[in-house]
Amino acid sequence: MSPTYRPPGGLPGLTSKTLFSAEELKHLYQGFKAQCPEGVAKEETFKEIYAQFFPPGVNSGQYAHHLFRCMDHNQKGEVNFEDFAAAMSTLSRGPLTERLRWVFVLYDQDGDGRISRAEFLTIAAAVFALIGPYAKPPITEQTVKLDLDNDGFISEDEFLSSCLNDDMIMASMMVLEESLAYI
Amino acid sequence: MSTERAALTSRGPRCVDELRKPMASLFLREEVPPWPTLCSKPCRCVNFKMPGGEEPQGAGNIPPHAMASVAAWLPFARAAAIGWVPIASNPLPAPPLPRSARRTDDVKLIINVSGRRFETWRNTLERYPDTLLGSNEREFFFDEDSHEYFFDRDPDIFRHILNYYRTGKLHYPKHECLTSYDEELAFFGIIPDVIGDCCYEDYRDRKRENAERLLDDRLSENGQGDGQGAGLPPLSSLRQRMWRAFENPHTSTAALVFYYVTGFFIAVSVMANVVETVPCGTLPHSTKPLSCGERYKIVFFCLDTACVMIFTAEYLLRLFAAPNRCKFVRSVMSIIDVVAILPYYIGLGITDNDDVSGAFVTLRVFRVFRIFKFSRHSQGLRILGYTLKSCASELGFLVFSLAMAIIIFATVMFYAEKNVDRTNFTSIPAAFWYTIVTMTTLGYGDMVPKTITGKIVGGVCSLSGVLVIALPVPVIVSNFSRIYHQNQRADKRKAQKKARLARIKMAKASSGAAFVSRKKAAEARMLAQEQAAAAAAAAGSGSGQNSPNLVALNNDDEDIFELQHHHLLRCLEKTTDREFVEMENPFGGVTSGQQHPQQTQVVTPHRAISQSPSVGSRASLMACCGRHCPPILSVSRRYQKSHIPTTGGDCDEDLNEVKIRLTDHHQQHQLRRAHGNKSGMPSSADSLTQAGSCVAGENASGANGGSGQQARSPVTSAVINIAASGAQQGRHWPQDLLIMHHEEAPGDGSSSDQAGGGDEDGLPPPPPYPNVVKISSL
């Protein structure tokens, strides 16, 4: 199987689609291209890259899988630079609601517009897997907090509103926003 | 190696610990083990230690090569942390102070390596701060004028080094010499362990080969040196000498003789064993053929005795000389020796008893082992034995597979042919013989299958035999060939070593001479300067003539260096109260009557100018002004700052020897000086010009310019064109100046004398100089 080569769209197009400046896009692309010379990132590659940020022995593949799914809009099985840039743009420069929406999509694995308890726990388990086989995920509290109408599912609005009202979550989002100010 | 890899830190755009801190705070519970501690340097480190101190291995420890591009993904990983927020039980910690737009900090650096310019980002270089380019060590090489970093190194290899920074992988180019590559790596502070896996095997193999070769060379150099007797430590005992003689027959004549004698007797013994079984006529009263051994019993017995005595003596001598007797006794060769001579002694002990004579005959068979003693004499045999030993596994496989096939086919053949009348296949073991003969395609025909099944099986057997045997054989053959060629190469290296050592010796010789000549040149120049200064001071108006000389002197950069070096040697002389003197070269005491064409006035005969092919060889040293000048004169000249013209003065130097003499023999020098004076001035000038012609790098013009100056010491004329090679060797002194020995009464011979007129032979020999210490440049 010959390696594919998918160059990204032109720089001006990307500049308009994302919230990045040309310089930032260039830098992002250089990094992207260095790891994925073909222009697209397959899930395996993505998982390898993500795994490098964590100590050995932890299973970062679960969370990476979810991230990949989020980024891969058309479910093509690969993430090209446009997807990558779009995700980065949303996460680092996008408005708060957009970001929260992104998180919602991350949690909502089957895309039905609601986060079930199982889905929530899956993500929680994936996140805890990042720290290694040491900690057990908390089961009930968070889910309960978010589930406003207690129907066992968290809809998008519930999610957004509960997050916006939660101080701690807001504080954390601010932190992340600050830290991503410079790419 | 892994620790060193781990030790390589790199700087990323943001510290990874920023990423981890949120994680750590998310899960504050006791089960969570202490998070791997991070390096203390902020924003610089992605290395961390696991609790317990082991270095992390694997994906989490970002290998330096990946750091480069993975760093670009760090913002993404941080952004992805947004997914943790809903689960977090604690707020995320504040990020570190953001650095100003990192990317605009990044500048491109120009690295100029021997003219080839490389450009790269500064960040690329700083990925590896433990190296020259990544640390501020590179500032030492910064050229302010051109705003680039200049390295006077090999640009081809530098390409690989720079690629290491760029991609994180260090490759080893196969066409480059290993040592030069290693040197470049060492210079740039990169350890060879980071060579990528793709090239590491190759690198290691070549390094091992190189090391073996060097070791080999060194060993044989030492061995040769010792063997030649010159460097033989006087404490070498008889035992050691004997052992060396046994192991290396070429070291001394006696060893060589011994070697050939034993070889001869081995051959004789083997031949005797063979011949004594040849039928030699018949018994007088019967038709039974008689073997030669029985007919000439006494002769063969004597021959056997002689051989065995020689072998016994040899074995005992080896045993005595062996440094480690237990090891020697257990070695293969010694076992062969013992087995070769034991039958004889056992035979002596056994009487002509019928019971035992059968055993005695068997023992005689062992005498054939004497032929293995030849392996000491033949390298090919040794290689063969070594090959078989090293191919033990292939041989084992061959034997095993053959055995399997034999058993299978023999069984089948037996059952197929069992029922044939008067069959040869009486049992399975009997069928073994058939199977072996068939599989090796010998096909004697003494056992032949008669049934159809048998024939089919026989056919299959022979076909498979070919395959089974053919498979391991090439492996054995290639092993043999490889070892054989290795040996050939070793021999070739040894043969070339002589030439190489000769070259090295010549180079050393020339450097020793260059040392002396440079020293003399320096002296000359210093004297000239002093003279010029004195003359200028004395006669102000006449300085116009002198100043050009001064100018000529100072123009040359080398002069400064030489002068300073000379000053240093002078300090040494003063300290030790000795002088550097050259010894004349007793070059056969040649004082041919040849005159140098340039010299108009011949005061003393000149030595023949001999031709020599190589630069800086001995002969070229003699080339100019071949007169053996009394070194004494040069010394005295130096000390009294007087200028004695000599013909061709001190231009000769013995290549390798410089004598140091105590200073209290000046009066004798003065004697000679007086003699020398008679030679008159012009000769000095001529000798100077003549010498000047042979000078390559040294600035003799200054010396020659002083035709009107008596001050000019002809020492300058001594400058020999070694300068070319001397300069090439760099301004380092031959390290091998040693003091050879303390010499009494050197008896320099008539050549040390310089007298006006006549040939040197007529001069009286100089008085002996006690306390002369010879320095040899080897």
Side-chain angles (χ1 to χ4, degrees):
Chain A
M1 214 164 62
S2 58
T4 55
Y5 177 60
R6 314 256 179 78
L11 193 55
L14 278 173
T15 326
S16 59
K17 274 192 232 155
T18 65
L19 300 164
F20 287 124
S21 70
E23 280 304 314
E24 290 165 336
L25 275 175
K26 282 183 201 166
H27 181 72
L28 273 178
Y29 186 68
Q30 284 170 15
F32 184 84
K33 176 92 174 168
Q35 285 289 72
C36 314
E38 297 123 0
V40 293
K42 296 266 191 305
E43 185 163 350
E44 282 309 310
T45 323
F46 183 76
K47 281 184 176 166
E48 273 171 42
I49 297 170
Y50 197 68
Q52 285 173 357
F53 291 106
F54 296 94
V58 305
N59 179 9
S60 57
Q62 296 178 19
Y63 193 66
H65 167 76
H66 294 299
L67 286 175
F68 188 81
R69 179 183 46 81
C70 254
M71 288 203 294
D72 184 12
H73 291 146
N74 308 336
Q75 308 300 319
K76 329 187 263 303
E78 53 192 26
V79 166
N80 61 12
F81 183 63
E82 278 98 347
D83 298 332
F84 177 70
M88 279 302 292
S89 158
T90 312
L91 287 176
S92 55
R93 304 290 160 91
L96 186 58
T97 45
E98 283 301 316
R99 282 184 266 151
L100 288 172
R101 211 160 277 146
W102 199 92
V103 178
F104 183 81
V105 171
L106 178 74
Y107 277 73
D108 182 19
Q109 287 142 45
D110 53 10
D112 60 357
R114 323 179 279 185
I115 305 178
S116 67
R117 189 193 222 80
E119 288 173 344
F120 192 86
L121 289 177
T122 314
I123 298 288
V127 174
F128 275 89
L130 287 174
I131 199 169
Y134 302 116
K136 300 196 205 28
I139 315 256
T140 7
E141 282 198 28
Q142 283 296 83
T143 337
V144 166
K145 207 163 63 161
L146 288 174
D147 187 4
L148 290 179
D149 59 5
N150 259 339
D151 59 352
F153 290 97
I154 307 173
S155 73
E156 189 169 338
D157 301 323
E158 284 172 1
F159 185 79
L160 282 173
S161 55
S162 54
C163 283
L164 285 169
N165 294 333
D166 187 336
D167 293 331
M168 198 174 67
I169 292 182
M170 281 299 106
S172 307
M173 296 292 279
M174 287 303 298
V175 161
L176 282 175
E177 185 177 340
E178 262 179 55
S179 57
L180 289 168
Y182 298 97
I183 295 295
Chain B
M1 174 180 149
S2 61
T3 33
E4 285 184 336
R5 271 189 191 264
L8 289 169
T9 58
S10 79
R11 190 176 76 172
R14 295 269 188 223
C15 188
V16 178
D17 56 0
E18 289 171 39
L19 184 61
R20 295 212 189 84
K21 271 195 203 144
M23 289 289 297
S25 65
L26 279 179
F27 316 112
L28 288 179
R29 28 182 94 238
E30 282 72 26
E31 300 100 88
V32 177
W35 192 262
T37 59
L38 302 162
C39 284
S40 54
K41 280 198 281 182
C43 290
R44 282 204 169 253
C45 224
V46 293
N47 269 349
F48 45 87
K49 291 198 195 29
M50 290 301 246
E54 322 93 48
E55 291 294 341
Q57 296 139 11
N61 189 16
I62 303 179
H65 74 265
M67 198 47 212
S69 37
V70 166
W73 284 72
L74 184 59
F76 174 76
R78 302 178 80 218
I82 203 174
W84 309 338
V85 167
I87 312 183
S89 22
N90 299 82
L92 305 181
L97 292 174
R99 305 169 57 198
S100 58
R102 179 190 52 81
R103 270 198 325 273
T104 62
D105 269 347
D106 212 354
V107 288
K108 280 205 213 129
L109 303 177
I110 304 178
I111 305 175
N112 182 351
V113 182
S114 301
R116 212 190 290 181
R117 283 188 169 69
F118 298 86
E119 279 190 60
T120 185
W121 297 106
R122 185 203 288 148
N123 277 354
T124 310
L125 292 183
E126 294 187 346
R127 278 186 204 140
Y128 300 108
D130 290 341
T131 58
L132 186 153
L133 289 172
S135 63
N136 50 15
E137 191 183 344
R138 63 170 186 249
E139 301 305 323
F140 285 99
F141 298 93
F142 188 68
D143 184 357
E144 295 291 346
D145 302 324
S146 49
H147 289 288
E148 59 188 17
Y149 294 91
F150 180 74
F151 295 98
D152 198 10
R153 312 286 302 189
D154 187 353
D156 292 324
I157 298 183
F158 184 75
R159 185 171 66 84
H160 297 281
I161 290 175
L162 198 53
N163 274 341
Y164 170 56
Y165 288 90
R166 291 183 181 131
T167 63
K169 291 209 198 88
L170 180 63
H171 293 282
Y172 168 59
K174 292 187 184 23
H175 57 268
E176 294 284 353
C177 170
L178 184 81
T179 39
S180 75
Y181 188 75
D182 268 346
E183 280 169 13
E184 296 297 311
L185 285 188
F187 180 81
F188 286 102
I190 299 174
I191 44 173
D193 288 340
V194 303
I195 291 183
D197 288 337
C198 42
C199 301
Y200 194 65
E201 291 293 327
D202 195 39
Y203 173 80
R204 223 186 32 199
D205 287 341
R206 280 183 67 164
K207 191 152 192 174
R208 203 181 31 223
E209 263 180 47
N210 238 18
E212 280 172 8
R213 187 174 53 81
L214 281 176
L215 189 65
D216 203 25
D217 284 351
R218 207 167 297 133
L219 278 180
S220 46
E221 208 174 87
N222 291 341
Q224 207 177 37
D226 286 348
Q228 278 157 6
L232 206 83
L235 300 177
S236 158
S237 67
L238 177 68
R239 242 180 102 176
Q240 283 174 346
R241 281 208 298 271
M242 275 176 62
W243 182 249
R244 202 174 13 240
F246 281 137
E247 294 300 303
N248 298 323
H250 305 285
T251 48
S252 70
T253 330
L256 211 54
V257 164
F258 181 77
Y259 175 79
Y260 283 124
V261 162
T262 46
F264 173 72
F265 273 98
I266 295 173
V268 161
S269 158
V270 169
M271 288 294 299
N273 280 347
V274 166
V275 166
E276 75 179 2
T277 60
V278 171
C280 233
T282 62
L283 273 175
H285 303 296
S286 76
T287 51
K288 189 168 125 203
L290 197 62
S291 70
C292 283
E294 282 166 24
R295 192 153 159 191
Y296 303 105
K297 232 187 185 121
I298 310 286
V299 175
F300 280 105
F301 182 73
C302 290
L303 206 54
D304 206 23
T305 311
C307 293
V308 168
M309 281 193 345
I310 301 266
F311 297 153
T312 316
E314 182 204 352
Y315 182 70
L316 289 175
L317 282 178
R318 277 184 203 264
L319 191 62
F320 166 68
N324 185 353
R325 295 215 173 109
C326 297
K327 201 170 96 164
F328 174 75
V329 167
R330 284 196 306 246
S331 74
V332 174
M333 288 310 302
S334 102
I335 293 177
I336 291 179
D337 288 340
V338 167
V339 167
I341 60 182
L342 263 187
Y344 176 80
Y345 290 110
I346 296 179
L348 282 184
I350 295 180
T351 56
D352 249 337
N353 205 345
D354 272 340
D355 301 339
V356 196
S357 68
F360 177 61
V361 167
T362 320
L363 272 181
R364 285 184 137 199
V365 170
F366 281 96
R367 288 190 305 177
V368 80
F369 275 84
R370 287 177 195 169
I371 206 169
F372 284 115
K373 285 166 70 79
F374 265 130
S375 64
R376 277 210 187 92
H377 299 256
S378 155
Q379 202 187 22
L381 261 185
R382 277 203 299 271
I383 294 179
L384 187 61
Y386 183 65
T387 308
L388 290 177
K389 200 166 67 172
S390 72
C391 299
S393 65
E394 280 83 23
L395 283 175
F397 164 67
L398 176 64
V399 168
F400 178 68
S401 58
L402 267 180
M404 256 176 42
I406 287 172
I407 293 177
I408 292 174
F409 281 109
T411 311
V412 177
M413 280 308 293
F414 171 70
Y415 283 111
E417 293 284 311
K418 202 161 83 133
N419 297 324
V420 173
D421 273 347
R422 292 198 309 269
T423 185
N424 283 330
F425 296 85
T426 50
S427 65
I428 293 186
F432 280 169
W433 171 244
Y434 167 76
T435 318
I436 293 176
V437 167
T438 312
M439 282 185 87
T440 52
T441 70
L442 281 174
Y444 289 134
D446 53 350
M447 287 167 82
V448 175
K450 299 248 174 12
T451 61
I452 296 183
T453 323
K455 287 183 179 163
I456 293 175
V457 172
V460 172
C461 176
S462 66
L463 287 175
S464 66
V466 170
L467 275 179
V468 166
I469 291 184
L471 283 176
V473 166
V475 176
I476 299 175
V477 165
S478 78
N479 260 353
F480 179 80
S481 151
R482 178 177 55 87
I483 296 174
Y484 183 73
H485 283 304
Q486 260 178 13
N487 258 302
Q488 291 242 342
R489 272 203 301 272
D491 287 345
K492 201 159 85 158
R493 268 205 305 272
K494 281 200 189 103
Q496 287 171 350
K497 181 201 302 306
K498 287 202 176 143
R500 195 156 51 86
L501 284 180
R503 274 201 317 269
I504 295 174
K505 220 165 142 178
M506 273 197 306
K508 282 186 180 172
S510 64
S511 73
F515 161 68
V516 178
S517 69
R518 277 200 293 272
K519 191 174 68 64
K520 295 216 287 211
E523 285 169 29
R525 258 173 262 141
M526 266 195 46
L527 287 167
Q529 272 189 332
E530 286 158 14
Q531 282 298 311
S541 61
S543 65
Q545 285 175 2
N546 296 335
S547 43
N549 301 326
L550 271 177
V551 169
L553 269 179
N554 295 334
N555 268 348
D556 198 335
D557 293 321
E558 286 190 34
D559 286 342
I560 312 295
F561 176 81
E562 298 296 341
L563 285 170
Q564 287 172 345
H565 186 246
H566 178 62
H567 171 253
L568 174 70
L569 295 175
R570 289 249 315 261
C571 295
L572 180 62
E573 285 173 353
K574 295 281 193 213
T575 317
T576 55
D577 205 20
R578 280 175 168 72
E579 296 164 14
F580 284 106
V581 170
E582 309 142 33
M583 208 181 73
E584 320 70 41
N585 182 10
F587 191 55
V590 171
T591 62
S592 71
Q594 291 177 19
Q595 301 177 5
H596 197 281
Q598 286 186 8
Q599 185 153 3
T600 53
Q601 282 196 15
V602 180
V603 180
T604 53
H606 294 271
R607 181 181 304 162
I609 298 169
S610 54
Q611 303 301 316
S612 157
S614 58
V615 173
S617 71
R618 306 171 61 106
S620 65
L621 285 176
M622 311 299 188
C624 13
C625 42
R627 173 85 180 104
H628 284 301
C629 179
I632 306 141
L633 281 173
S634 75
V635 169
S636 64
R637 223 172 294 120
R638 191 167 52 241
Y639 265 86
Q640 284 136 32
K641 311 262 192 280
S642 61
H643 317 288
I644 295 160
T646 62
T647 58
D650 332 330
C651 43
D652 343 291
E653 301 151 356
D654 181 83
L655 296 177
N656 303 337
E657 291 175 1
V658 171
K659 272 204 291 198
I660 299 183
R661 209 163 19 72
L662 285 187
T663 60
D664 43 44
H665 291 280
H666 284 182
Q667 44 281 28
Q668 286 137 12
H669 313 327
Q670 285 177 5
L671 197 62
R672 271 154 204 83
R673 184 171 53 121
H675 284 277
N677 259 331
K678 293 183 196 149
S679 58
M681 270 315 304
S683 63
S684 76
D686 294 307
S687 67
L688 290 177
T689 46
Q690 154 207 331
S693 66
C694 358
V695 167
E698 301 280 352
N699 181 15
S701 59
N704 285 341
S707 57
Q709 287 188 1
Q710 195 156 358
R712 187 72 53 226
S713 150
V715 168
T716 313
S717 64
V719 168
I720 314 250
N721 73 344
I722 282 309
S725 61
Q728 164 216 339
Q729 286 163 17
R731 304 268 179 82
H732 54 269
W733 300 110
Q735 302 293 331
D736 355 55
L737 277 179
L738 332 152
I739 299 198
M740 279 286 287
H741 55 270
H742 198 82
E743 193 189 56
E744 300 282 318
D748 296 336
S750 58
S751 57
S752 65
D753 259 327
Q754 153 129 33
D759 53 342
E760 30 184 33
D761 292 334
L763 295 170
Y769 308 126
N771 298 334
V772 175
V773 180
K774 254 202 256 187
I775 295 184
S776 163
S777 70
L778 266 186

